[in-house]
Amino acid sequence: VQLQASGGGLVQPGGSLRLSCVVSEYDLDYYPIGWFRQAPGKEREGVSCFSPSDFSTYYSDSVKGRFTISRDTGTVYLQMNSLKPEDTAVYYCATDSRTYYSATYYCRDLDHMESWGKGTQVTVSS
């Protein structure tokens, strides 16, 4: 499986961006998918995940109400609204061959996500 993230950039606080991740070889109706981020000097964290096994969706507390994950054939999106400077990070998409966990599990057990795309930089600054 290959994942290719795009859509990052520089945006002012309060602005919006939409990240895209094209996923090859994996059917997103069957395999879980998630967005993760890593800010300078911080550990990578789960931002939003979706699990087809139970149709669950997870958002971290820091992005809940501002970010929305969605899927289309072969592509997963992360719509980011009301961006804050603390959202500045490299954003990654990832998937896993284990299909039976909840979205919360995938986002919190990120070290065991099997396949990762290269990140896309998001910078929120005035």
Side-chain angles (χ1 to χ4, degrees), residues 7-13 15-17 19 83 88 120-126:
L10 173 63
V11 63
Q12 292 186 343
S16 298
L17 280 176
L19 304 183
L83 283 162
T88 295
T120 184
Q121 175 71 47
V122 172
T123 303
V124 185
S125 175
S126 55

Side-chain angles (χ1 to χ4, degrees), residues 6-105:
S6 62
L10 173 63
V11 63
Q12 292 186 343
S16 298
L17 280 176
R18 189 177 80 155
L19 304 183
S20 300
C21 175
V22 177
V23 183
S24 63
E25 301 179 24
Y26 267 22
D27 184 344
L28 295 181
D29 288 336
Y30 186 69
Y31 290 100
I33 190 72
W35 286 98
F36 304 82
R37 68 185 182 187
Q38 187 164 22
K42 294 188 176 181
E43 293 186 353
R44 194 174 296 190
E45 63 173 345
V47 175
S48 181
C49 293
F50 176 78
S51 174
S53 68
D54 60 357
F55 297 98
S56 60
T57 304
Y58 168 89
Y59 295 98
S60 67
D61 288 343
S62 61
V63 308
K64 200 172 294 182
R66 300 187 298 121
F67 289 12
T68 303
I69 190 170
S70 63
R71 299 169 303 144
D72 198 347
T73 303
T75 304
V76 61
Y77 304 96
L78 186 68
Q79 178 66 43
M80 306 186 296
N81 298 327
S82 303
L83 283 162
K84 304 175 181 180
E86 50 264 42
D87 294 318
T88 295
V90 178
Y91 284 71
Y92 302 86
C93 52
T95 188
D96 195 47
S97 63
R98 302 168 301 166
T99 59
Y100 34 81
Y101 294 116
S102 69
T104 300
Y105 178 89

